[in-house]
Amino acid sequence: MKSSLTALRDQARKVAGPARNIVSFLASTPLLYPLARLKRGENEPWVIGGHGGRLRVDNCAVLHEYMVNHTRQPVIWISTNDSVLAELSARGLPCLCGNTARARWTIFKAPVLIYSHGEDDLELCLLFMRGLTGFRVHLNHSMNLLKAGQYHDPGVHELRGVRRWAFEQTVPHFDALLASSDKERANFALSYPDQAHKVHLGGGAHLDGLLEARRDLPATERTLLYFPTWREERQSQQALGATVEALMDHPRLQAWLADQDYRLLVGAHINTVGLSQAERLQARVQWLPPAELQAAMLRCAGFISDYSGAIFDYLALDKPMIFFPYDLDHYLERRNFYDDYEDIAYGPVVWDVEELVELIVSGQWQDLQPYAAKRSGLRDLVFPTLEPRYAKTCYETIDRLWRESLRPGQGNPPGR
């Protein structure tokens, strides 16, 4: 257990880190930006990053992989995660540590900037450079089909004055936001009404791995994968922790796991804090690092989740799904959905740990037939094609939109 002094030191680092980055940005940018702006041109490398610099997964990771393997376009990954940087460096792929002068120099002269969550994926203070950078592309990290955000969040319409201004500064800005389907494009337009004209088809790069695996799925392991989405409030985080522990410790589930030779994998969200103490785990339960989620989805016998975008990724695999929105009413007090939850549930829905355990031990979760029609209809709505060519389309769309933006009278001028 951490001492009070160690905990205090860690908290001080959390506060000091952003402050140090802001000071560094303010000190270096007046010198770096004018020189970098002069060098910006079509032959300079693009820059890409995601998840606040912490992870290399999802749409941005797959697009990056496609670019380095199938195009001649130079591209540099920006990250604040030492493990990510070490992995890319070992492969000989260009990468830079985020929030440094060297990274800022590269970002300022890049003709195209790509991120999954917001400008701070690349640089903490990049929001201060809106209108001054190259062509900015927002990919989103997964499909945007359930949880609404930004201007479609509850209570946003009530914000006034300084609070409204502060909120608007946190909304990601972009020159293009790529959607994977007409349905997703319409959803994005609700969340970004002022930027709806910048939403284009051509997203969903991360779907390629799932669709390639759909053709030849790896051998199914005797595992159930539970991936609860992140809760933003302290009280909800504590409730999530209690729910996970109640599930892990449930005697009937433990007996079933042993009798059936199954394991329960609990996927840890990148934001998860305080839920991954190894000593709390039972013999047949293990935590799954965020970067391993998709591989586990391909191998698992069944998937359990609530509001995660991963439930739509999993839809492509035609495997058993359990919906476990134990705090739905409370969750909807703080987040809006684009559709009613029941309309997207293509498998059984359970509301508490006892119901979930009963469903698991009964084996009824394995029966796909009752939800076959719903699964097929939803898949047709959110997957324009089941061919794994989304990354290629994504790259070609970005390249086209960027080049169009350079022509007078066409596209959105970069940074606007």
Side-chain angles (χ1 to χ4, degrees):
M1 180 178 293
K2 291 184 178 179
S3 67
S4 298
L5 186 60
T6 302
L8 184 61
R9 181 197 65 195
D10 291 348
Q11 186 62 33
R13 285 176 176 173
K14 289 180 181 179
V15 174
R20 185 169 58 248
N21 290 338
I22 292 173
V23 171
S24 172
F25 178 86
L26 293 175
S28 63
T29 297
L31 175 63
L32 292 177
Y33 179 77
L35 298 175
R37 183 65 187 87
L38 291 174
K39 286 185 63 65
R40 187 185 302 165
E42 296 185 17
N43 295 325
E44 290 295 325
W46 295 6
V47 293
I48 187 170
H51 284 271
R54 296 172 293 175
L55 289 177
R56 182 177 176 268
V57 295
D58 302 328
N59 280 322
C60 282
V62 177
L63 174 61
H64 179 239
E65 201 68 28
Y66 175 83
M67 289 179 65
V68 298
N69 290 320
H70 300 286
T71 77
R72 295 182 178 180
Q73 174 60 52
V75 60
I76 298 175
W77 188 273
I78 308 288
S79 178
T80 54
N81 186 321
D82 291 341
S83 297
V84 171
L85 295 173
E87 177 187 347
L88 293 175
S89 295
R91 294 177 56 192
L93 299 180
C95 57
L96 290 171
C97 181
N99 302 315
T100 62
R102 189 178 177 189
R104 290 181 193 118
W105 168 258
T106 304
I107 291 168
F108 292 160
K109 65 188 180 75
V112 176
L113 292 69
I114 305 171
Y115 40 83
S116 66
H117 286 67
E119 295 106 316
D120 60 352
D121 290 355
L122 301 174
E123 158 63 52
L124 180 65
C125 299
L126 200 58
L127 64 88
F128 298 130
M129 304 296 290
R130 289 172 178 171
L132 299 174
T133 68
F135 193 79
R136 289 163 301 144
V137 181
H138 187 5
L139 292 188
N140 208 45
H141 63 292
S142 64
M143 289 193 286
N144 181 43
L145 295 170
L146 178 60
K147 292 181 292 185
Q150 310 305 336
Y151 287 90
H152 203 50
D153 267 345
V156 170
H157 65 283
E158 299 175 358
L159 297 177
R160 298 289 186 275
V162 174
R163 293 178 62 202
R164 178 77 177 194
W165 177 87
F167 164 77
E168 290 176 345
Q169 304 317 300
T170 68
V171 175
H173 283 220
F174 44 81
D175 296 303
L177 170 56
L178 301 193
S180 59
S181 65
D182 287 325
K183 170 61 176 170
E184 189 179 31
R185 186 179 186 178
N187 289 349
F188 277 132
L190 292 173
S191 288
Y192 298 97
D194 294 342
Q195 301 183 84
H197 60 289
K198 303 177 185 177
V199 183
H200 305 269
L201 293 178
H206 77 287
L207 298 175
D208 282 357
L210 293 161
L211 296 174
E212 289 168 357
R214 174 184 166 85
R215 296 174 172 176
D216 186 20
L217 279 174
T220 300
E221 296 179 348
R222 300 181 76 80
T223 58
L224 287 175
L225 172 59
Y226 175 35
F227 182 67
T229 196
W230 174 243
R231 272 70 170 172
E232 297 177 355
E233 296 180 327
R234 179 73 173 174
Q235 181 181 358
S236 298
Q237 294 167 18
Q238 292 173 342
L240 172 60
T243 300
V244 172
E245 290 187 2
L247 180 63
M248 293 190 306
D249 295 340
H250 200 287
R252 287 190 68 200
L253 178 61
Q254 284 296 321
W256 182 87
L257 292 172
D259 291 343
Q260 301 297 319
D261 192 25
Y262 263 73
R263 289 179 299 134
L264 174 66
L265 308 180
V266 182
H269 192 282
I270 181 61
N271 291 325
T272 299
V273 178
L275 293 179
S276 56
Q277 301 96 331
E279 64 271 15
R280 288 289 302 117
L281 302 186
Q282 301 287 353
R284 290 188 170 272
V285 179
Q286 69 183 69
W287 289 100
L288 190 73
E292 298 180 17
L293 178 65
Q294 181 167 310
M297 288 170 59
L298 299 179
R299 299 190 304 266
C300 71
F303 184 42
I304 307 164
S305 192
D306 41 34
Y307 322 115
S308 171
I311 62 181
F312 297 99
D313 296 344
Y314 191 75
L315 176 63
L317 304 181
D318 224 16
K319 302 203 303 182
M321 174 77 204
I322 300 173
F323 292 83
F324 183 34
Y326 66 87
D327 61 348
L328 180 61
D329 290 341
H330 180 73
Y331 197 83
L332 286 174
E333 292 176 3
R334 289 151 182 83
R335 293 294 298 266
N336 279 338
F337 289 167
Y338 294 115
D339 298 287
D340 290 340
Y341 192 84
E342 289 78 6
D343 291 342
I344 61 91
Y346 57 90
V349 181
V350 291
W351 301 98
D352 57 42
V353 169
E354 292 299 327
E355 274 192 83
L356 176 57
V357 171
E358 177 60 34
L359 179 64
I360 292 173
V361 301
S362 73
Q364 295 179 13
W365 57 274
Q366 300 177 67
D367 186 5
L368 291 173
Q369 188 54 41
Y371 301 91
K374 190 170 189 179
R375 196 166 52 249
S376 177
L378 189 59
R379 187 167 55 239
D380 290 345
L381 180 66
V382 303
F383 291 97
T385 177
L386 293 177
E387 292 299 314
R389 56 175 184 247
Y390 287 85
K392 181 177 186 294
T393 301
C394 186
Y395 168 71
E396 292 174 347
T397 302
I398 294 172
D399 190 58
R400 174 179 59 81
L401 292 173
W402 161 57
R403 294 185 185 280
E404 287 178 356
S405 76
L406 302 178
R407 301 171 194 160
Q410 295 191 35
N412 303 306
R416 300 297 179 184

